[in-house]
Amino acid sequence: MIAPQLAAQPPRPALAAPKAAAPIRVRVELGGVAPSHEAVADVSLQGCSLAVSNDLLRPGSFVTVSLPGGKPLGALVRWSHNHRAGLEFLRGLTPDEPEWLALIA
Protein backbone atom coordinates (compact mmCIF):
# COMPACT_ATOMS: atom_id res chain seq x y z
CA MET A 1 0.00 0.00 0.00
CA ILE A 2 1.29 3.50 -0.90
CA ALA A 3 1.29 6.01 1.90
CA PRO A 4 -1.27 8.82 1.20
CA GLN A 5 1.35 11.58 1.38
CA LEU A 6 3.49 9.84 -1.28
CA ALA A 7 0.58 9.17 -3.62
CA ALA A 8 -0.44 12.85 -3.59
CA GLN A 9 2.94 14.16 -4.80
CA PRO A 10 3.18 15.20 -8.46
CA PRO A 11 5.75 13.33 -10.55
CA ARG A 12 9.24 14.84 -10.62
CA PRO A 13 10.51 16.27 -13.89
CA ALA A 14 13.35 14.37 -15.50
CA LEU A 15 16.77 15.72 -14.63
CA ALA A 16 18.63 17.40 -17.44
CA ALA A 17 21.96 15.90 -18.42
CA PRO A 18 24.86 17.82 -16.94
CA LYS A 19 26.50 20.24 -19.32
CA ALA A 20 29.91 19.12 -20.49
CA ALA A 21 32.69 21.43 -19.44
CA ALA A 22 34.70 23.03 -22.20
CA PRO A 23 37.96 21.16 -22.76
CA ILE A 24 41.00 22.67 -21.09
CA ARG A 25 43.71 23.49 -23.59
CA VAL A 26 47.42 23.22 -22.92
CA ARG A 27 50.20 24.69 -24.99
CA VAL A 28 52.46 21.94 -26.30
CA GLU A 29 55.92 22.77 -27.62
CA LEU A 30 58.02 20.25 -29.50
CA GLY A 31 61.49 21.46 -30.48
CA GLY A 32 61.48 23.07 -33.92
CA VAL A 33 57.72 22.73 -34.42
CA ALA A 34 55.20 25.56 -33.99
CA PRO A 35 53.43 25.29 -30.62
CA SER A 36 49.98 23.74 -30.64
CA HIS A 37 47.08 23.92 -28.21
CA GLU A 38 45.64 20.53 -27.30
CA ALA A 39 42.88 19.32 -24.97
CA VAL A 40 44.17 17.81 -21.74
CA ALA A 41 42.57 14.87 -19.92
CA ASP A 42 43.36 12.33 -17.22
CA VAL A 43 45.85 14.40 -15.23
CA SER A 44 47.81 12.61 -12.50
CA LEU A 45 50.81 13.57 -10.40
CA GLN A 46 53.07 11.85 -12.94
CA GLY A 47 51.54 12.88 -16.28
CA CYS A 48 48.47 13.38 -18.43
CA SER A 49 46.86 12.38 -21.67
CA LEU A 50 46.01 14.71 -24.53
CA ALA A 51 43.55 14.74 -27.38
CA VAL A 52 45.85 15.89 -30.17
CA SER A 53 45.01 17.46 -33.51
CA ASN A 54 47.96 15.96 -35.41
CA ASP A 55 50.40 13.07 -35.26
CA LEU A 56 53.53 15.07 -34.44
CA LEU A 57 53.88 13.69 -30.90
CA ARG A 58 55.88 10.51 -31.21
CA PRO A 59 56.81 8.20 -28.33
CA GLY A 60 60.21 9.18 -26.95
CA SER A 61 59.85 12.89 -27.88
CA PHE A 62 60.51 15.53 -25.24
CA VAL A 63 57.94 18.34 -25.07
CA THR A 64 56.95 21.17 -22.78
CA VAL A 65 53.34 21.64 -21.77
CA SER A 66 51.78 24.61 -20.03
CA LEU A 67 48.35 25.65 -18.91
CA PRO A 68 47.19 29.22 -19.56
CA GLY A 69 49.08 31.42 -17.13
CA GLY A 70 51.13 28.49 -15.81
CA LYS A 71 54.80 27.71 -16.05
CA PRO A 72 55.95 25.12 -18.62
CA LEU A 73 56.53 21.54 -17.53
CA GLY A 74 58.89 19.16 -19.27
CA ALA A 75 57.39 15.85 -20.36
CA LEU A 76 58.21 12.72 -22.32
CA VAL A 77 55.71 11.35 -24.84
CA ARG A 78 55.14 7.75 -23.72
CA TRP A 79 52.51 6.73 -26.29
CA SER A 80 50.54 8.15 -29.19
CA HIS A 81 47.59 6.52 -30.97
CA ASN A 82 44.36 7.66 -32.71
CA HIS A 83 44.81 11.38 -32.01
CA ARG A 84 45.63 10.81 -28.34
CA ALA A 85 48.97 10.93 -26.57
CA GLY A 86 50.21 10.07 -23.09
CA LEU A 87 52.80 12.29 -21.42
CA GLU A 88 54.97 11.55 -18.41
CA PHE A 89 56.14 14.67 -16.58
CA LEU A 90 59.91 14.77 -16.13
CA ARG A 91 59.25 15.39 -12.44
CA GLY A 92 56.06 14.84 -10.50
CA LEU A 93 53.69 17.70 -9.82
CA THR A 94 54.29 19.71 -6.66
CA PRO A 95 52.20 22.19 -4.65
CA ASP A 96 53.88 24.90 -6.78
CA GLU A 97 51.62 23.83 -9.69
CA PRO A 98 48.10 24.39 -8.28
CA GLU A 99 46.64 24.90 -11.78
CA TRP A 100 47.65 21.32 -12.68
CA LEU A 101 46.73 19.85 -9.28
CA ALA A 102 43.20 21.25 -9.65
CA LEU A 103 42.72 19.05 -12.74
CA ILE A 104 43.39 15.76 -10.96
CA ALA A 105 40.12 13.84 -10.69
Side-chain angles (χ1 to χ4, degrees), residues 3-96:
Q5 66 271 25
L6 293 178
Q9 294 179 352
R12 291 186 190 174
L15 296 176
K19 292 182 181 180
I24 296 171
R25 297 273 198 214
V26 294
R27 179 183 171 106
V28 179
E29 295 183 49
L30 175 66
V33 178
S36 63
H37 292 84
E38 311 297 348
V40 67
D42 302 324
V43 177
S44 74
L45 291 175
Q46 292 77 36
C48 64
S49 66
L50 303 175
V52 295
S53 57
N54 57 49
D55 294 325
L56 295 176
L57 299 181
R58 302 271 186 227
S61 300
F62 287 96
V63 298
T64 58
V65 293
S66 55
L67 287 166
K71 62 183 178 180
L73 298 176
L76 176 65
V77 179
R78 286 297 186 181
W79 57 268
S80 179
H81 182 69
N82 285 345
H83 296 286
R84 294 193 55 82
L87 306 182
E88 179 183 358
F89 299 135
L90 296 182
R91 60 167 181 71
L93 294 177
T94 67
D96 293 338

